[in-house]
Amino acid sequence: MEFLERFAIPHPSPAIYASMVAIALVSIGILAGLTYFKKWGYLWREWLTTVDHKKIGIMYLVSALLMLFRGGADAIMMRAQLSAPDMKLLDAQHYNEIFTTHGVVMIIFMAMPFIFAFMNLIVPLQIGARDVAFPRLNALSFWLFFAGAMLFNISFVIGGSPDAGWTSYFPLAGNDFSESVGTNYYMLAIQISGIGSLMTGINMCTTILKMRAPGMTLMKMPMFTWSAFIANVIIVFAFPVLTVALLMGTTDRLFATNFFTTDNGGMDMLWANFFWIWGHPEVYILILPAFGLYSEIISTFSKRNLYGYSSMVWSMVLISLLSFLVWTHHFFTMGQGALTNSIFSITTMAIAVPTGVKIFNWLFTMWKGKIRFTVPMLYSVAFIPLFTIGGVTGVMLAMSAADYQYHNTMFLVAHFHNTIIPGVVFAMLAGLTFYWPKFFGFILNEKIGKVTFWLLTVGFVLAFFPMYITGLDGQARRMYTYSEATGFGALNMLSFAGAALMAIGFVTIVYNIYYSFKNSSRDIGSDPWDARSLEWATHTPVPEYNFARTPQISSSETFWDSKKNGHELFKGEIEEIHMPNNSGIPFVMGMIFFVAGFSFIFALWVPAVISLIGIFICMAMRSFEKDHGRHISVKEIIETEEKLGGAK
């Protein structure tokens, strides 16, 4: 009985029991459906063992959308709890668990897979490559992310969710103050997912540096590819810090080491420094690919080339460098002294300069352009003023003396969401709508899309702008209740109404996909938006090999030049194409990592050791495997091209 008690929920509630039932029923339904429709073989061949960057990108995309709704449910519960004084919807413990899981899910398991989805779907096509540099490593990266996400998301029904905040500061995250296994879930799940992210960073950097089409110099790369490259360079330098910090935190909790304790030589502030040395570059890992998406969309729907290409590139390079020099602004109030605070205050303000350069680049791109206000363009235009407001409040927070007033209030919550939602979520939805026809063969309904846009935009303003006011009036973040005497009730109710509007907006996205799948035309061609970059030069749907002939690059907008100026994009004869074989090893390793993580969380040492041995066996199998891939014959390529509408 004592053995089973460790898996029990420390703070059960009817909602958690209902979630258990729902998870069980959905799982049974999926298994029954796969069996009834005889789709197990299809699932294994086409998805679980795939190494195709496009299918991996779609799996990232589906995962990100699911996590968006998972994290959104947490957000609605928090706003409902704070919608009126002395609410009893959630108690303090449940509120702690919900704001912890909301932050982790949205940053690690929603935003990260969203950007990886677009990197996988777009980057190889934009540079004229057949696939990424290391296809199997790409598959392993996804399955490690997926294993980490699933491990984290079972915490609230097995053992209990983490409750020390998404930053998981020590000593609060230590065994003395977080006795349940919730923080173990945090340490292990993020670590497994983070290893996958680091692999993606290495893979994408190699792909962009070594696999560009002939003629594509670095300064002829499309802007999204540039943004993806710089973001992945940041990943390569930042994620090892997080991995080491999580390993140290895990050993503190499982083996009583003293890295982050307050006695026996430990240093709790070491965790805060490690976390934010990763954490602030992480913001730009998310934002820079979003900037790249906005650049592609704004130039396409303005009918103009991107203004100031070189300044855009160099501003992103400068942002990436400065992103590693600002982490201490996250704890101005923690006592490191006036000199240190002053230095990091200056670097934090400085990073606003290259960001401001990009704002003017986008504005000048639209200046005198023939703008079409499609759904992707609406998100892009709305992003500029909303993100600028978030940036200005960031400069306010950069003033270390003033930060004593702002820190740990709802003002900070409003600022963070004022940058991440317009900066990342809007970009992901714009990119989703923009690239949907390329990978799914039909355009999402514009009218429903515009309803979604206005619901999300109005809802966002109503949800977060009142927090600036309550924060300045002293409402602390992470507090699960407040008294009527504070006077926060009306503005918090307004925030709840805004969050409800956003929830309705996200539901309309699902309805739009359903409606468009049933009613949208499939006769859209390969370039429905009259776009400018190379990913639109291949067929819809994109064939396995991407391009029958390797494109020849002459500018950063070669496809536009080929359409408008007669540049010959595809030269020479079709030749056989080498492609990698599918492999089940990445999927198997991901599942073994899941078992290993679960075993370490609950200190089940025998299955933990067996799982680690299994991981090394999989690595050895790959090392000794003789798999040289396969070749697609010229005849098969020609047949595919004729079927899709002409050789590319």
Side-chain angles (χ1 to χ4, degrees):
M1 189 65 184
E2 184 178 341
F3 175 79
L4 296 176
E5 285 178 356
R6 72 174 78 180
F7 302 104
I9 302 297
H11 308 281
S13 71
I16 290 177
Y17 290 132
S19 299
M20 291 179 179
V21 173
I23 291 170
L25 291 176
V26 170
S27 300
I28 292 169
I30 292 172
L31 295 174
L34 289 169
T35 303
Y36 180 80
F37 292 105
K38 299 179 181 178
K39 292 295 184 181
W40 286 105
Y42 167 81
L43 183 66
W44 178 258
R45 291 188 308 272
E46 299 297 325
W47 297 99
L48 299 184
T49 63
T50 187
V51 296
D52 185 342
H53 71 95
K54 298 178 289 296
K55 290 183 177 179
I56 291 171
I58 289 170
M59 290 193 290
Y60 271 122
L61 189 63
V62 172
S63 301
L65 287 171
L66 290 174
M67 291 299 103
L68 178 64
F69 283 91
R70 164 71 174 87
D74 287 339
I76 286 293
M77 286 190 284
M78 283 190 288
R79 294 320 311 165
Q81 169 62 23
L82 294 177
S83 62
D86 301 313
M87 283 286 284
K88 304 296 184 184
L89 179 66
L90 303 171
D91 61 27
Q93 177 61 31
H94 286 155
Y95 189 82
N96 289 348
E97 293 176 3
I98 285 169
F99 77 66
T100 299
T101 55
H102 169 74
V104 174
V105 166
M106 287 302 204
I107 297 295
I108 303 294
F109 300 124
M110 184 280 288
M112 288 295 288
F114 240 136
I115 68 165
F116 287 154
F118 288 114
M119 288 177 187
N120 272 280
L121 290 168
I122 302 166
V123 167
L125 294 175
Q126 282 198 336
I127 65 174
R130 305 287 184 204
D131 207 313
V132 295
F134 309 114
R136 284 201 185 184
L137 190 68
N138 197 26
L140 179 59
S141 298
F142 170 77
W143 289 115
L144 289 182
F145 150 76
F146 188 79
M150 293 302 100
L151 189 62
F152 188 84
N153 278 282
I154 65 169
S155 62
F156 74 102
V157 294
I158 304 176
S161 293
D163 59 359
W166 91 276
T167 56
S168 203
Y169 283 153
F170 284 80
L172 180 60
N175 289 327
D176 290 341
F177 298 102
S178 297
E179 297 179 359
S180 77
V181 296
T183 303
N184 293 355
Y185 273 110
Y186 176 100
M187 297 289 170
L188 272 300
I190 298 178
Q191 185 151 239
I192 292 170
S193 180
I195 293 170
S197 299
L198 179 58
M199 290 177 179
T200 297
I202 295 167
N203 205 347
M204 285 293 168
C205 286
T206 308
T207 300
I208 294 168
L209 289 175
K210 304 298 291 184
M211 298 185 69
R212 301 190 306 278
M216 183 177 283
T217 62
L218 288 175
M219 294 307 287
K220 290 179 182 176
M221 293 195 308
M223 194 53 62
F224 178 76
T225 297
W226 256 116
S227 69
F229 174 62
I230 295 171
N232 281 288
V233 170
I234 298 175
I235 286 173
V236 170
F237 283 96
F239 265 82
V241 179
L242 177 67
T243 302
V244 170
L246 290 168
L247 179 61
M248 294 164 71
T250 302
T251 58
D252 267 15
R253 290 186 56 83
L254 294 180
F255 304 113
T257 55
N258 291 284
F259 293 113
F260 305 129
T261 58
T262 54
D263 55 9
N264 296 322
M267 185 185 298
D268 54 342
M269 279 300 296
L270 183 62
W271 168 269
N273 279 274
F274 279 167
F275 183 89
W276 287 114
I277 287 172
W278 162 81
H280 204 84
E282 165 69 9
V283 172
Y284 294 98
I285 291 168
L286 302 179
I287 286 287
L288 289 179
F291 287 172
L293 285 172
Y294 285 132
S295 298
E296 302 290 346
I297 291 166
I298 289 172
S299 63
T300 295
F301 294 113
S302 299
K303 292 288 185 180
R304 291 194 61 190
N305 62 304
L306 192 64
Y307 180 89
Y309 176 95
S310 296
S311 63
M312 289 282 274
V313 171
W314 287 110
S315 66
M316 287 194 294
V317 171
L318 188 56
I319 287 170
S320 69
L321 295 173
L322 288 173
S323 71
F324 286 94
L325 301 175
V326 298
W327 81 90
T328 298
H329 72 219
H330 289 278
F331 38 90
F332 277 150
T333 62
M334 294 187 187
Q336 61 262 31
L339 177 61
T340 302
N341 280 0
S342 299
I343 292 170
F344 282 91
S345 182
I346 292 168
T347 58
T348 302
M349 293 181 191
I351 206 167
V353 176
T355 307
V357 168
K358 305 179 81 59
I359 297 291
F360 284 105
N361 286 133
W362 292 314
L363 292 174
F364 285 133
T365 300
M366 290 187 282
W367 180 253
K368 295 185 178 180
K370 297 178 180 178
I371 298 175
R372 287 183 290 156
F373 285 103
T374 59
V375 171
M377 190 63 172
L378 286 174
Y379 282 114
S380 303
V381 171
F383 148 78
I384 293 175
L386 292 175
F387 185 80
T388 301
I389 293 169
V392 169
T393 57
V395 173
M396 293 172 65
L397 286 157
M399 296 182 286
S400 56
D403 191 60
Y404 277 82
Q405 172 68 26
Y406 309 137
H407 194 69
N408 273 340
T409 69
M410 298 304 286
F411 185 94
L412 180 58
V413 175
H415 155 73
F416 181 75
H417 288 83
N418 208 158
T419 55
I420 292 298
I421 291 179
V424 178
V425 178
F426 278 22
M428 298 304 112
L429 296 178
L432 180 73
T433 311
F434 186 57
Y435 284 107
W436 188 274
K438 193 70 203 172
F439 297 100
F440 297 99
F442 60 92
I443 297 175
L444 294 175
N445 184 274
E446 280 281 300
K447 288 184 179 179
I448 301 173
K450 288 176 180 178
V451 170
T452 301
F453 164 77
W454 285 111
L455 284 170
L456 292 178
T457 303
V458 174
F460 164 76
V461 171
L462 291 177
F464 293 100
F465 279 32
M467 295 183 194
Y468 285 121
I469 300 171
T470 62
L472 289 175
D473 282 344
Q475 184 180 7
R477 61 174 174 165
R478 300 173 180 158
M479 298 296 288
Y480 85 105
T481 191
Y482 56 92
S483 69
E484 188 174 355
T486 60
F488 300 146
L491 288 173
N492 276 294
M493 179 57 75
L494 188 60
S495 286
F496 174 63
L501 276 181
M502 293 186 74
I504 296 169
F506 287 121
V507 171
T508 62
I509 294 172
V510 178
Y511 175 71
N512 195 356
I513 293 171
Y514 167 76
Y515 179 88
S516 302
F517 178 78
K518 288 188 65 177
N519 299 294
S520 290
S521 171
R522 266 55 175 178
D523 185 20
I524 60 171
S526 60
D527 181 24
W529 304 118
D530 192 21
R532 308 177 77 88
S533 47
L534 198 56
E535 68 270 27
W536 301 99
T538 188
H539 299 292
T540 300
V542 182
E544 177 190 9
Y545 46 79
N546 294 345
F547 301 96
R549 291 172 290 179
T550 303
Q552 308 297 309
I553 309 303
S554 62
S555 72
S556 63
E557 294 185 329
T558 299
F559 181 48
W560 184 259
D561 291 342
S562 72
K563 292 191 294 183
K564 306 301 179 183
N565 303 321
H567 168 71
E568 188 177 357
L569 186 55
F570 299 101
K571 301 176 182 178
E573 299 295 323
I574 294 176
E575 300 176 354
E576 69 175 15
I577 297 171
H578 176 265
M579 296 297 292
N581 288 321
N582 285 359
S583 173
I585 290 179
F587 172 74
V588 172
M589 285 188 71
M591 298 307 99
I592 295 174
F593 265 98
F594 177 90
V595 174
F598 187 85
S599 301
F600 274 104
I601 286 165
F602 289 96
L604 306 173
W605 302 120
V606 173
V609 171
I610 293 172
S611 299
L612 292 177
I613 293 171
I615 291 168
F616 284 109
I617 289 173
C618 288
M619 294 167 66
M621 288 174 62
R622 174 57 182 151
S623 298
F624 291 102
E625 183 181 13
K626 293 183 178 180
D627 182 355
H628 302 295
R630 58 194 171 83
H631 288 83
I632 303 175
S633 67
V634 173
K635 179 182 177 182
E636 187 178 349
I637 296 169
I638 292 174
E639 289 175 352
T640 303
E641 294 295 306
E642 290 175 348
K643 180 181 176 182
L644 293 173
K648 291 284 187 180

